[in-house]
Amino acid sequence: MVTRWASPSRRVSALEKSPVSLLVPFYFFLLGLLILFSLILLVQGVTGAGRNDSVTNMLFIMTGLTGLVSTFYMIRRYQLSVQKTLKERKIVVLTVEECSKCSYKAVRPFREGDYVYGYGEECPRCPKSLGDTGVENRMVITAIYLEGGRQEERY
Amino acid sequence: MQTPLFLGQDNTDIGYIINILYIAMFLVLVFWGEKIQTRIRLRDIEYALERLRLMRDESVKFTKEKLKKYGREEINRFLDNYLEFVTIPPVDMDPAGVVWKLDHIVKTAEDRVRSEIKQIIPDLDESHVLNIMNLFEASYALNYYYKVVRHYYILSKKTSSYILIIQLQAILPQVMMEAEAYLGALQAFSSGQPIGDGAGALVAARLMRGGEIFDIERDNVCTVKNIQGRRVYFMKAKGPGGAVGTPGDALMKLSEKESFKMIFMVDAGLKLEGEKTGSIAEGVGAIIGGIGTEKYKIEEVATKKAIPLYGMIIKMSLKEAITPMTKDVLNGVEEAHQLLLKRIVEKSSEGDTVMVIGVGNTMGIAQ
Ligand SMILES: [Zn+2]
């Protein structure tokens, strides 16, 4: 559930995964056993397996169904959590630059050292005059924001 | 004909087994039910605690990594010390004047950290020092969460107090959410990106553009502009370092020579769950967070001179407040900017002097 857009948390997720990477196959192995067991119970319940005892058969069928339903529920939940992790990773911080002379606007990924109302890159549209000190031709950063900025699930 | 039987009442093998299992389970639950539940809850807490420890370690590691480029070993040791740094609040049995004492203590603590960082890395400019302090604070917060949760975990284990465990487990999700917010803040703090809390400062910065800017008191910048015949002072913390400034001190100083007709404050505010991020709430009062010293000073000035205090809150969650500013918050800033200009003209008349304070951490926002 750690947000994964920042690199430190990404590394935390890596740390979290080292024990998890062993646990996940084991988890699925258990789920597989559960499915198998549930199916056997279900088949036994349906065929009656030589007994003419309806209560036991009913119990077998119920247990089998419950087992199957809960296994599929668990698998679905695992899928959802994986999807959520992947979705959260794609968030990037963007810098918006504007030229004060020709109002050209550009959006690019954030670089270290950028700040709002600091100088950005040179304007590609305005010609660079000779003897320029370097600052005059540069665009001004007007905004820095998080791309796809919704970090929370909507309810 | 067979009458319907209860489970296990028939004389098959399975019936016996089920019968015995039921009795065994019943006995186990009667005698050890609470213990089993306690054990399960404690394991949950243990898991959360382990995650908190990982987050704390990750934060410290990340900070140290970021500080490596300055090539000073002492800064690591200073960070380790800083995590255990304590600031003792003043005694409040006699509350008169306690705000000034608190203000003094907090400023002393900040000065100490600031000067120590500067001493270790002398060629660091002010904005980087402030960003490093913010980074340190994130680690401090994570360490604090970890230590407090660990304290209650060990205590509840020792006393095996069911109530304590339930209470701890009940607040854990919220604690984890906040801890994750702090972890997410590291990236912004280390690279100086504007955070959601800077919304108020960004509104002020936008309004300040083009004016002549001067420093006032500690970490504040101010400018005067003419807006439709009104003399409007705009103030914010001095960027682009992660400062929050001392708007109270600055207002006290400015109001010595100026008589303000009204004060507008813009700040980021915590939304309630379900409210929309970036939505604006208007209101009355000193809209500023923190420990309350700056709020006190602003209220003092406003009350003594009978200046109305108007405010605007740009709403966001804690996580949005300390991680890079989202598009929603930025839209809120744009809206607050327009609304503020409108309100200044509406509420004041020509020739008035108006104060506008953009409150918040101005990391990544210059003026
Ligand atoms: Zn241009």
Side-chain angles (χ1 to χ4, degrees):
Chain A
M1 248 170 288
V2 185
T3 37
R4 321 266 163 180
W5 51 268
S7 63
S9 32
R10 207 174 292 154
R11 267 183 289 144
V12 164
S13 76
L15 277 175
E16 277 170 349
K17 252 175 209 144
S18 51
V20 168
S21 60
L22 274 174
L23 272 175
V24 166
F26 183 62
Y27 183 63
F28 276 100
F29 176 67
L30 276 185
L31 284 184
L33 273 186
L34 198 62
I35 290 180
L36 199 68
F37 193 58
S38 307
L39 279 177
I40 290 172
L41 276 178
L42 199 62
V43 169
Q44 281 226 331
V46 170
T47 57
R51 278 183 312 275
N52 48 4
D53 171 6
S54 61
V55 176
T56 313
N57 283 350
M58 209 52 203
L59 184 75
F60 278 13
I61 292 173
M62 293 290 273
T63 321
L65 280 179
T66 318
L68 281 180
V69 167
S70 58
T71 328
F72 285 121
Y73 172 71
M74 275 188 245
I75 290 173
R76 181 79 196 126
R77 229 179 43 174
Y78 181 78
Q79 273 181 335
L80 282 179
S81 74
V82 169
Q83 272 170 9
K84 204 174 146 216
T85 319
L86 292 176
K87 218 185 280 171
E88 274 174 319
R89 260 184 206 191
K90 275 189 278 182
I91 304 170
V92 186
V93 177
L94 296 175
T95 299
V96 182
E97 298 171 315
E98 268 172 71
C99 175
S100 45
K101 279 181 258 175
C102 66
S103 64
Y104 171 81
K105 206 170 163 182
V107 181
R108 61 170 170 82
F110 176 88
R111 275 198 301 269
E112 205 148 329
D114 285 354
Y115 58 86
V116 178
Y117 297 129
Y119 287 106
E121 282 167 356
E122 283 183 0
C123 176
R125 278 221 224 144
C126 292
K128 193 175 174 175
S129 53
L130 284 168
D132 207 330
T133 45
V135 167
E136 281 146 53
N137 204 33
R138 287 168 75 184
M139 295 187 282
V140 173
I141 294 170
T142 52
I144 295 170
Y145 66 92
L146 195 64
E147 164 74 337
R150 288 205 175 79
Q151 303 173 352
E152 277 148 284
E153 319 92 280
R154 307 268 120 172
Y155 293 100
Chain B
M1 198 201 127
Q2 203 176 17
T3 44
L5 294 166
F6 287 107
L7 280 177
Q9 263 186 349
D10 55 346
N11 287 333
T12 57
D13 291 346
I14 289 182
Y16 277 123
I17 293 169
I18 289 175
N19 229 333
I20 291 168
L21 272 180
Y22 266 120
I23 293 169
M25 233 149 79
F26 179 72
L27 286 178
V28 165
L29 284 180
V30 163
F31 289 112
W32 293 289
E34 197 174 294
K35 209 150 232 175
I36 292 169
Q37 276 210 31
T38 309
R39 197 50 67 78
I40 291 170
R41 283 172 199 275
L42 271 177
R43 242 227 331 265
D44 270 7
I45 298 169
E46 222 165 275
Y47 176 68
L49 188 65
E50 180 61 17
R51 287 234 324 213
L52 278 176
R53 192 184 61 77
L54 272 177
M55 285 186 203
R56 194 265 320 256
D57 290 352
E58 193 51 38
S59 164
V60 171
K61 209 174 96 191
F62 180 82
T63 307
K64 285 181 178 170
E65 201 105 326
K66 279 280 160 188
L67 294 173
K68 226 176 218 166
K69 63 179 173 203
Y70 301 113
R72 295 283 201 288
E73 260 306 302
E74 302 97 294
I75 196 85
N76 291 347
R77 219 168 316 125
F78 179 58
L79 174 58
D80 293 337
N81 288 338
Y82 179 76
L83 292 183
E84 302 298 326
F85 196 74
V86 280
T87 308
I88 312 291
V91 61
D92 54 1
M93 279 185 291
D94 179 16
V98 78
V99 175
W100 300 108
K101 291 184 203 163
L102 184 60
D103 189 46
H104 172 68
I105 286 170
V106 169
K107 277 181 181 161
T108 311
E110 202 191 309
D111 275 344
R112 214 199 117 180
V113 178
R114 211 188 267 207
S115 68
E116 214 139 331
I117 292 174
K118 262 192 202 155
Q119 217 168 30
I120 295 169
I121 313 170
D123 47 341
L124 208 56
D125 64 48
E126 195 65 27
S127 68
H128 279 98
V129 173
L130 285 164
N131 289 356
I132 289 175
M133 278 170 68
N134 277 292
L135 260 182
F136 277 25
E137 263 159 48
S139 292
Y140 185 90
L142 285 169
N143 186 45
Y144 188 73
Y145 283 131
Y146 170 65
K147 285 203 310 185
V148 171
V149 171
R150 185 182 59 181
H151 168 75
Y152 283 108
Y153 166 71
I154 294 174
L155 200 64
S156 51
K157 213 173 168 181
K158 265 185 189 165
T159 57
S160 50
S161 153
Y162 196 53
I163 304 286
L164 207 57
I165 292 170
I166 290 176
Q167 277 181 323
L168 186 54
Q169 210 192 12
I171 60 154
L172 261 186
Q174 220 175 335
V175 170
M176 296 308 285
M177 242 163 70
E178 285 177 23
E180 268 159 25
Y182 274 105
L183 192 67
L186 290 178
Q187 184 64 31
F189 288 175
S190 69
S191 48
Q193 291 162 346
I195 55 176
D197 186 41
L202 186 55
V203 172
R206 286 191 170 192
L207 290 161
M208 283 169 112
R209 285 301 279 176
E212 195 192 327
I213 286 154
F214 54 93
D215 287 12
I216 177 162
E217 292 292 311
R218 180 195 173 102
D219 294 338
N220 304 291
V221 285
C222 191
T223 188
V224 195
K225 271 174 121 181
N226 185 346
I227 292 177
Q228 296 189 27
R230 289 113 174 123
R231 253 168 76 76
V232 185
Y233 276 85
F234 293 106
M235 185 160 74
K236 72 184 268 289
K238 186 179 184 177
V244 288
T246 49
D249 290 335
L251 181 68
M252 279 168 75
K253 187 155 185 200
L254 280 174
S255 66
E256 279 167 18
K257 57 182 172 104
E258 285 283 359
S259 60
F260 295 110
K261 260 275 145 55
M262 61 192 59
I263 300 170
F264 284 98
M265 299 181 78
V266 196
D267 192 8
L270 283 188
K271 65 168 188 175
L272 296 174
E273 265 335 311
E275 283 184 311
K276 196 176 164 289
T277 297
S279 58
I280 313 271
E282 286 184 87
V284 172
I287 298 189
I288 180 168
I291 47 167
T293 51
E294 297 306 312
K295 187 174 182 173
Y296 176 83
K297 291 173 206 162
I298 292 168
E299 283 168 353
E300 276 281 299
V301 172
T303 312
K304 262 186 201 149
K305 307 206 166 182
I307 311 169
L309 273 170
Y310 298 118
M312 244 172 243
I313 296 173
I314 302 168
K315 292 183 179 174
M316 60 192 77
S317 66
L318 174 76
K319 183 166 184 180
E320 284 162 329
I322 60 175
T323 53
M325 192 182 284
T326 61
K327 193 85 215 253
D328 289 344
V329 175
L330 199 63
N331 292 340
V333 166
E334 182 55 42
E335 201 184 320
H337 175 187
Q338 301 303 337
L339 193 63
L340 190 59
L341 280 175
K342 206 169 112 193
R343 290 283 180 268
I344 291 170
V345 176
E346 269 175 19
K347 296 237 192 282
S348 65
S349 40
E350 249 172 79
D352 284 352
T353 309
V354 178
M355 179 86 219
V356 175
I357 307 176
V359 184
N361 189 321
T362 189
M363 177 176 294
I365 303 166
Q367 46 277 323

